[in-house]
Amino acid sequence: MTESVHTPATGWRWRGLAGWNLYFLFKFALLWAGYLNFHPLANLIFMAWLLLPLPGERLHTLRNWISFPVGIGLFWHDTWLLGLDSLISQGAQLTEFSLDYIVDLIARFINWKMVGVAFVMLVGWLFIAQWLRVTTISVAAMVWLNLATPGGPVLTRAPEVSAGNSHTAADQTAAAAANDIPAQTAPPTTDNLTDWLNRFYASEAKRQTNFPTALPADAQPFDLLVINICSLAWSDIQATGLDTHPLWSHFDIVFKHFNSATSYSGPAAIRLLRASCGQPSHKDLYSAAGNKCYLFENLARLGFTSQLMLDHNGVFGDMLKEIREQGGMQAPLMDQQNLPLNLHSFDGSRIYDDAAILQRWMAHSGQQPGGRSATFFNLLPLHDGNYIAGTRKTADYRTRAKKLFDELDAFLSALEKSNRKVMVLLVPEHGAALVGDKMQISGLRDIPSPSITHVPVGVKFTGMKAPHQGTPIEITQPSSFLAISELVARTVDGRNFVADTVDWNALTRGLPQSAVVSENANAVVVEYQGHPYVRLSGGDWVPYPQ
């Protein structure tokens, strides 16, 4: 079925869009549903190329063959998927995935609801094309989109903000008044958002935790244990119904609005290990930082012995290499010999039992009387694609998470029973993206969305003379790694462990606040005036689709 008009004088024919109408109409449907980062001008140019009258069927057929890969490329460009440069840069890691995991990821890309919409549109187009020139409708819609949004990508829906993941304008105003966050007063245009982001990084470059140059004579030794969990966000906890697990009531302090600032493991670990300075850009993570930026180096200067534990081999994504080279963690990896197996990773490597690792830490860490230790422990059991030995199917996330929460809860109870002086920090790397959104399927974390970077952070003190009573103290201000470093600095003399009373308000009051800015190599998400905005590969800013 072809829509065409013949011009005898020249032999050139207006053929209409014919089957390409379905291509554009389906894009309009995806745009309306919020699934596209639509580029009106590029699509208008492509449409004009398809409509250009040509003499003879051979040229028309040749154009269709040329247009087919162009149309696929343009469709990809209009989605939120990674660009070619990102795919190339991550290609080496993709080759390490197991075949079963790759098949699983491909299956998640199929949106059956939109497949159904495409089928209905195909039938509808075949039906109405008998009486109407559908090309006229497609052209009119495309022209209207270009007139309505000249020169940039569009979204048809204004951003909606979930109360659990974002902050109100009043929160941002309060933080700005405290000089922690640059003011957000200008309208959210691309230029203004870019300018604000530059001012944010300039402001963060001046921020730093002030550790004492030496500990006082009456300082009390204690151990610091930082538990860095991969793939755990508030959205994942809520999706699995584990937000009421006893673990969360076991902490003394819980950060309710903590931003991990990235959705990848390597950068997340680096940011945590460099917690003592303000938030750098993703690019600056891979440049040397000042010595005072490294949390464990600050502790080492005060007599804390650094220790490193992993429940995996640290090979995938050069995790261990990045921890050492960019995170400044040079301590030898704690012995993994004879540890029981928990899971296999998505790349087939072993993930060791975390309860056994924590028991080993309790048995071997801080054995010297009066010693101080600071341990960084990175955990991988919740990562997407992990599977139980003897199977190849991804293990159920809720089952894995409940097992881990049970083990951590039991570990904290054991520490309390031992009366050992320990400050435990639970700081997830990022979320698992257990529930996907319109930009990314479940399990995909290329764009650091608010639901992925909004993570639970808990603090527990054991061995205190006057332990905290009642429900956990909640830190509700927008926070990030600098707040953790400040909390450690306030505790580093250990006096709270032996005090008859602890001023918990003084300990937690006025912790540094941080704007919600999250970044990977090719994507930046910021919260501006209470709404999330995203920029891909240095392009225009658009509201994050909800």
Side-chain angles (χ1 to χ4, degrees):
M1 185 179 300
T2 304
E3 301 173 280
S4 63
V5 176
H6 182 59
T7 308
T10 63
W12 295 70
R13 297 177 60 189
W14 289 95
R15 290 177 174 81
L17 292 172
W20 286 102
N21 276 301
L22 190 62
Y23 171 87
F24 289 108
L25 291 174
F26 185 57
K27 273 191 173 182
F28 297 153
L30 290 174
L31 172 62
W32 179 83
Y35 286 104
L36 288 187
N37 182 31
F38 193 71
H39 296 78
L41 182 59
N43 279 272
L44 180 63
I45 293 171
F46 184 52
M47 180 178 281
W49 156 254
L50 293 170
L51 285 171
L52 180 70
L54 294 174
E57 289 296 327
R58 296 181 66 180
L59 286 177
H60 176 66
T61 302
L62 177 61
R63 176 171 61 185
N64 276 333
W65 280 107
I66 295 173
S67 300
F68 188 72
V70 174
I72 293 175
L74 181 57
F75 198 102
W76 187 286
H77 181 58
D78 281 335
T79 68
W80 302 104
L81 297 173
L82 286 173
L84 182 60
D85 53 344
S86 298
L87 289 175
I88 293 173
S89 65
Q90 298 187 33
Q93 293 188 11
L94 292 175
T95 60
E96 298 181 41
F97 290 176
S98 67
L99 179 60
D100 298 81
Y101 185 43
I102 292 175
V103 172
D104 182 28
L105 288 175
I106 293 173
R108 296 184 206 175
F109 273 97
I110 303 175
N111 185 324
W112 291 108
K113 179 181 177 181
M114 296 314 297
V115 169
V117 169
F119 175 72
V120 171
M121 292 184 68
L122 172 62
V123 175
W125 170 69
L126 291 172
F127 181 73
I128 66 174
Q130 300 177 84
W131 300 285
L132 298 177
R133 286 184 58 81
V134 182
T135 296
T136 303
I137 299 173
S138 300
V139 171
M142 186 67 71
V143 171
W144 179 83
L145 284 171
N146 275 268
L147 292 176
T149 55
V154 299
L155 284 172
T156 59
R157 296 182 176 183
E160 302 167 3
V161 180
S162 168
N165 293 338
S166 299
H167 316 106
T168 64
D171 293 331
Q172 298 284 6
T173 301
N179 296 318
D180 286 343
I181 298 176
Q184 300 179 343
T185 54
T189 64
T190 287
D191 288 343
N192 289 341
L193 285 167
T194 300
D195 176 69
W196 180 86
L197 182 62
N198 291 335
R199 287 190 288 114
F200 165 78
Y201 283 132
S203 173
E204 290 295 298
K206 302 174 183 177
R207 304 176 76 190
Q208 182 177 298
T209 304
N210 293 316
F211 279 82
T213 56
L215 293 177
D218 61 346
Q220 297 295 312
F222 69 95
D223 298 312
L224 173 68
L225 174 61
V226 180
I227 302 176
N228 191 213
I229 303 176
C230 178
S231 301
L232 181 65
W234 284 115
S235 61
D236 306 316
I237 297 171
Q238 292 161 359
T240 54
L242 292 174
D243 48 339
T244 57
H245 192 281
L247 172 65
W248 306 114
S249 61
H250 213 147
F251 291 108
D252 299 321
I253 304 168
V254 174
F255 287 80
K256 300 294 288 186
H257 290 293
F258 190 95
N259 180 44
S260 69
T262 183
S263 56
Y264 285 153
S265 296
I270 298 169
R271 289 188 183 280
L272 177 53
L273 291 167
R274 293 188 183 186
S276 297
C277 284
Q279 181 175 326
S281 67
H282 177 85
K283 180 181 178 181
D284 287 346
L285 282 180
Y286 295 89
S287 300
N291 289 335
K292 292 185 177 181
C293 293
Y294 297 96
L295 175 61
F296 283 76
E297 282 196 18
N298 286 326
L299 293 169
R301 283 191 287 270
L302 296 174
F304 285 77
T305 301
S306 296
Q307 299 182 140
L308 173 63
M309 300 193 304
L310 304 177
D311 67 357
H312 54 96
N313 59 22
V315 173
F316 183 81
D318 289 330
M319 181 71 175
L320 181 56
K321 181 181 178 182
E322 290 194 354
I323 286 174
R324 296 201 184 286
E325 294 184 358
Q326 278 74 44
M329 171 57 72
Q330 302 304 325
L333 181 62
M334 188 173 287
D335 180 28
Q336 296 180 332
Q337 292 295 319
N338 301 318
L339 286 171
L341 176 68
N342 180 16
L343 296 162
H344 282 289
S345 179
F346 49 88
D347 63 349
S349 60
R350 297 167 64 90
I351 300 175
Y352 301 105
D353 185 75
D354 295 299
I357 296 173
L358 290 170
Q359 289 173 3
R360 183 171 291 186
W361 177 84
M362 288 185 67
H364 297 286
S365 178
Q367 290 182 331
Q368 296 180 353
R372 297 175 172 87
S373 69
T375 303
F376 181 77
F377 180 25
N378 183 262
L379 291 72
L380 200 61
L382 302 185
H383 194 287
D384 191 44
N386 292 347
Y387 58 92
I388 299 172
T391 71
R392 300 297 292 181
K393 182 180 179 181
T394 298
D396 177 65
Y397 181 92
R398 188 184 189 282
T399 302
R400 288 180 282 148
K402 185 179 184 306
K403 178 179 183 295
L404 178 61
F405 292 177
D406 289 345
E407 291 171 345
L408 292 174
D409 194 44
F411 170 70
L412 294 179
S413 296
L415 279 181
E416 289 175 317
K417 187 177 181 180
S418 71
N419 204 36
R420 179 172 168 177
K421 297 181 179 65
V422 182
M423 179 183 184
V424 179
L425 282 170
L426 185 149
V427 188
E429 295 175 355
H430 52 71
L434 202 60
V435 179
D437 59 27
K438 292 179 178 178
M439 289 192 74
Q440 298 182 113
I441 62 169
S442 172
L444 197 64
R445 294 178 282 103
D446 298 303
I447 300 169
S449 67
S451 64
I452 297 175
T453 61
H454 178 218
V455 300
V457 170
V459 185
K460 179 66 180 178
F461 295 91
T462 64
M464 299 184 82
K465 184 177 181 181
H468 180 260
Q469 303 294 325
T471 59
I473 300 168
E474 294 186 349
I475 308 298
T476 59
Q477 296 83 7
S479 308
S480 197
F481 299 104
L482 196 64
I484 290 177
S485 178
E486 176 63 26
L487 192 59
V488 172
R490 295 180 184 184
T491 309
V492 76
D493 60 16
R495 290 170 173 171
N496 283 333
F497 286 94
V498 297
D500 292 328
T501 59
V502 176
D503 189 344
W504 291 95
N505 288 330
L507 180 63
T508 58
R509 185 189 306 119
L511 291 172
Q513 299 184 39
S514 297
V516 181
V517 175
S518 304
E519 186 176 4
N520 291 338
N522 297 291
V524 186
V525 177
V526 304
E527 188 175 291
Y528 190 86
Q529 297 178 352
H531 298 278
Y533 293 85
V534 59
R535 182 179 70 184
L536 301 180
S537 300
D540 292 322
W541 291 93
V542 296
Y544 194 96
Q546 304 291 309

